[in-house]
Amino acid sequence: MNSASPEPQKAAKTSNPESSQDTLYASRKKLYVRSVTGLFANWRWALVWITQIVFYGLPWLSWNDRQAVLLHLTERKFYIFGWVFWPQDVFFLAILLIISAYALFFFTAIAGRLWCGYACPQTVYTEIFMWIEEKIEGDHTRRQKLDRAPMSAGKAMRRGAKFLVWGIVALWTGFTFVAYFSPLDELLASFNGLTFGPWETFWILFYGGFTYLFAGVLREQVCKYMCPYARFQAVMFDPDTLVITYDEARGEPRGTRKKGVDPRSVSKGDCIDCGICVQVCPTGIDIRDGLQYECIGCAACIDACDQVMDKMNYPRGLIRYSTENAMKRNWGSKEILAHVFRPRTLIYGTVLALISIAFVWGLAAREPLRVDVLRDRSSLGQEIEGGLIENVYQLQVMNMTESARTFNIGVSGLNGIRIQGPQRVEVAPAAAQSVTVQVHVPYDEGKPGANTIFFDIAAEDDPSLTLKEETTFLVPR
C-alpha cells in the first residue's frame, strides 16, 4: 500500500536572488466535487438520514413526562429513556468509551475507514452542505463558472441564499446539541423570547459556528490536516484489510478510446483516463496513485468508475474494495472473505463482544437503590446518658427509579444496636434525600475501636428492593 507523496514545491523567491527557501505549506486548491450516484452513495445517504434523524429527533422524544434523552449537567444526572445515571455511574461511561474504541479497531481492521467514509459527523455534514450548495448554485461545472464570473446581482443572490441556508442548518445543529444538556422546553421558551443564558448562547454559536466552518468552508482540510485518525490509520491496517483499490494490472496503460472498443486491441488497459474518479473524490486525491492517507474510504470513486465501465461495456470492479494480498495473489471474493476473520480481527471481535456483554449485564443488574453512608467526623464515638455509645451518620438515599418511594432504615451488626432518629425516608422520583441518624449501642457491646455494622434499607412498596450498606461503629477506647 503506497502513500502518495506531494509534488515538489518550487522554491519561494526571497529578496536575495541567491537564496531560496522551500515553502512549508501547499496552497489549497478549491475542490468542485462532482455528485455521484450508486450503491455506496446510497449507503452514505442512508447513514446521513439515520444519524440525523437520531441526532435531531432524540431531544423531542418524551419518556415518563420528561425528555427521553437528557444529559442534565445542572442536576448532575443523565436521563436515557428508562435509566437515570448519577455521577457515581461514571464507570458505565468509561466502559462505553472502551467499547467505542474497540469497535473502531475492529471495523478498521476489517474494512478500513468505514467510520470516516459513512458515519463521521464531518463526512455527514459535508454531504449535507454540498447537497445544499448543489441545489442552489448548480453542479460542479456551474459552481466553477459562478466562482469565475464577476460579481452580479444573480451571483450575490445565489451566494447569499447558500450562506443563509448553511447558517440556519448550523444554528439548528447547535441548538439541538445544547438540547441534549438543557431541557428542550426551557430552550424553546428561551428561543421564543430570545432570552438564552450565557452558556447556552455560547455553545449554540460555538457548535453551530464550527459546523458551518468545518462542513461549509474547510471540508477536506479537516480530514487531511486536522483529524488525527488519518495519521494513525496505517497501524490498524494489514495486508488483509479491505480498502478501496485501483486494479493497476487491469487498468494500465490507461488512455482514451471509443465506446465498446476492446482495450487489448489498442494495447491499453480498461482505464479510459476520464478523471471522473478524481472529480467525485471529496478530498481530491487520485486513487490510481495507490492508497493515500487522505482517502476517507467513502467509495465515491467506485460508484463513478462502475458507471464508466457500464458505459464502455467493460466489467465493473476496476476500482473496488479489495486487499493487498488479494491484488498480489489474484484472489476472488471467497478468498478475501475467508481472510476477514484472522487472528487480529478475532481478538478485537472477542474483546469487543465480551466488553459489550459485560456492559449490558451491568445495566440489567444495576440496582435501582443506592445509599452513601458518611460518618459525622465532628463527633466520633461518644458516651451518652443511659450507658450508651453514640455515632452520628448521614445517609444519602438515592432513588434511581421513575416513581416516588418510601424507604425504611434499619441497623444491625451489634447486640442491642438501634437507631435514634428518622427510620423512614421519602424520596422523590430520580432524586436523592439526605437523612441524619444517631446509632446507639450499649456501652459493654463491641470491642474498643472500629466495629462493623450494617444499615438495612428497604422499600415499603417492594420487599425485594433492599440494600445492606456496610460501615463502622466507633467505640471509645
Side-chain angles (χ1 to χ4, degrees):
M1 291 180 284
N2 299 321
S3 176
S5 57
E7 296 182 359
Q9 301 293 325
K10 292 183 178 179
K13 293 182 179 180
T14 64
S15 57
N16 183 359
E18 296 181 357
S19 64
S20 64
Q21 181 179 3
D22 291 336
T23 56
L24 182 59
Y25 301 108
S27 60
R28 180 191 180 192
K29 181 180 179 181
K30 184 175 180 179
L31 299 180
Y32 298 89
V33 181
R34 180 173 181 166
S35 62
V36 64
T37 58
L39 173 64
F40 297 104
N42 292 337
W43 273 110
R44 285 197 308 279
W45 275 106
L47 267 295
V48 168
W49 279 104
I50 291 170
T51 55
Q52 298 317 292
I53 287 174
V54 170
F55 174 74
Y56 291 114
L58 277 181
W60 296 88
L61 293 180
S62 296
W63 188 278
N64 290 340
D65 297 326
R66 61 164 173 79
Q67 195 169 315
V69 178
L70 177 61
L71 314 179
H72 207 312
L73 298 181
T74 304
E75 294 184 358
R76 299 182 181 179
K77 286 183 285 190
F78 288 2
Y79 301 93
I80 302 178
F81 295 98
W83 290 306
V84 181
F85 295 95
W86 300 65
Q88 294 87 341
D89 293 315
V90 69
F91 169 78
F92 290 104
L93 176 60
I95 297 299
L96 189 61
L97 293 176
I98 294 173
I99 290 174
S100 300
Y102 268 97
L104 186 65
F105 300 157
F106 178 67
F107 290 108
T108 301
I110 289 178
R113 297 177 67 175
L114 291 177
W115 165 256
C116 294
Y118 296 93
C120 174
Q122 176 64 22
T123 299
V124 168
Y125 285 106
T126 299
E127 287 277 355
I128 294 172
F129 275 54
M130 287 197 302
W131 180 83
I132 294 171
E133 185 176 54
E134 183 175 0
K135 293 303 178 183
I136 295 176
E137 294 186 348
D139 61 17
H140 65 294
T141 56
R142 291 183 180 179
R143 295 198 300 274
Q144 284 180 304
K145 292 179 180 178
L146 186 66
D147 277 354
R148 294 169 184 162
M151 182 56 68
S152 63
K155 181 175 181 178
M157 288 182 62
R158 286 181 179 273
R159 287 288 166 83
K162 178 182 74 173
F163 295 150
L164 176 63
V165 177
W166 279 2
I168 292 173
V169 173
L171 288 175
W172 184 247
T173 303
F175 179 89
T176 303
F177 174 76
V178 174
Y180 280 92
F181 301 92
S182 183
L184 181 62
D185 54 354
E186 296 179 10
L187 280 180
L188 292 174
S190 300
F191 175 77
N192 291 332
L194 294 179
T195 56
F196 291 115
W199 83 267
E200 293 166 335
T201 303
F202 170 80
W203 282 108
I204 290 174
L205 295 178
F206 181 86
Y207 197 86
F210 271 92
T211 300
Y212 186 101
L213 181 65
F214 284 2
V217 181
L218 296 179
R219 293 186 178 174
E220 80 283 354
Q221 303 292 295
V222 176
C223 300
K224 292 168 68 172
Y225 303 118
M226 298 174 66
C227 177
Y229 185 48
R231 304 293 176 175
F232 65 77
Q233 62 164 332
V235 301
M236 301 187 204
F237 288 7
D238 61 32
D240 288 314
T241 298
L242 282 167
V243 292
I244 297 171
T245 309
Y246 168 68
D247 191 342
E248 187 175 350
R250 173 185 159 188
E252 301 296 325
R254 67 187 78 156
T256 59
R257 82 292 307 262
K258 292 182 179 180
K259 177 180 178 180
V261 172
D262 184 356
R264 305 297 175 258
S265 66
V266 291
S267 301
K268 295 185 182 299
D270 285 3
C271 178
I272 65 173
D273 203 19
C274 61
I276 295 179
C277 59
V278 181
Q279 297 172 25
V280 302
C281 179
T283 58
I285 65 171
D286 190 340
I287 194 63
R288 296 172 296 180
D289 293 336
L291 180 65
Q292 298 144 73
Y293 80 88
E294 298 96 335
C295 177
I296 62 172
C298 67
C301 54
I302 297 180
D303 285 332
C305 188
D306 283 347
Q307 291 176 7
V308 173
M309 293 296 102
D310 290 343
K311 292 178 181 178
M312 297 297 295
N313 295 323
Y314 295 165
R316 289 188 169 197
L318 179 60
I319 301 176
R320 62 185 184 271
Y321 273 106
S322 187
T323 70
E324 185 178 344
N325 281 336
M327 298 302 292
K328 289 180 179 178
R329 303 171 186 177
N330 296 317
W331 285 348
S333 56
K334 291 183 179 179
E335 290 84 358
I336 293 174
L337 291 176
H339 287 78
V340 167
F341 297 104
R342 53 196 184 276
R344 188 176 193 173
T345 58
L346 289 175
I347 292 173
Y348 286 153
T350 301
V351 174
L352 178 61
L354 292 175
I355 297 176
S356 299
I357 292 171
F359 180 75
V360 173
W361 178 85
L363 287 178
R366 181 170 170 264
E367 292 291 341
L369 169 64
R370 180 170 292 163
V371 177
D372 289 337
V373 179
L374 300 175
R375 178 190 303 282
D376 186 353
R377 298 188 180 276
S378 63
S379 59
L380 300 178
Q382 57 182 342
E383 186 177 354
I384 61 173
E385 295 181 0
L388 299 173
I389 303 297
E390 180 184 80
N391 282 200
V392 180
Y393 302 87
Q394 185 177 34
L395 275 59
Q396 183 87 354
V397 182
M398 286 171 276
N399 176 19
M400 298 183 176
T401 66
E402 296 283 345
S403 57
R405 277 193 158 139
T406 300
F407 297 96
N408 293 319
I409 302 173
V411 66
S412 60
L414 291 173
N415 292 330
I417 190 170
R418 66 177 185 272
I419 291 178
Q420 182 69 28
Q423 299 182 31
R424 191 169 175 270
V425 58
E426 296 180 358
V427 187
Q433 182 66 43
S434 294
V435 58
T436 301
V437 298
Q438 298 83 33
V439 176
H440 294 170
V441 172
Y443 184 79
D444 56 351
E445 293 294 337
K447 66 181 186 299
N451 295 266
T452 300
I453 65 170
F454 301 92
F455 280 101
D456 303 305
I457 296 90
E460 285 189 351
D461 61 337
D462 186 358
S464 64
L465 184 54
T466 61
L467 183 66
K468 184 182 287 289
E469 192 70 18
E470 180 179 336
T471 186
T472 58
F473 185 92
L474 294 181
V475 176
R477 297 183 181 274

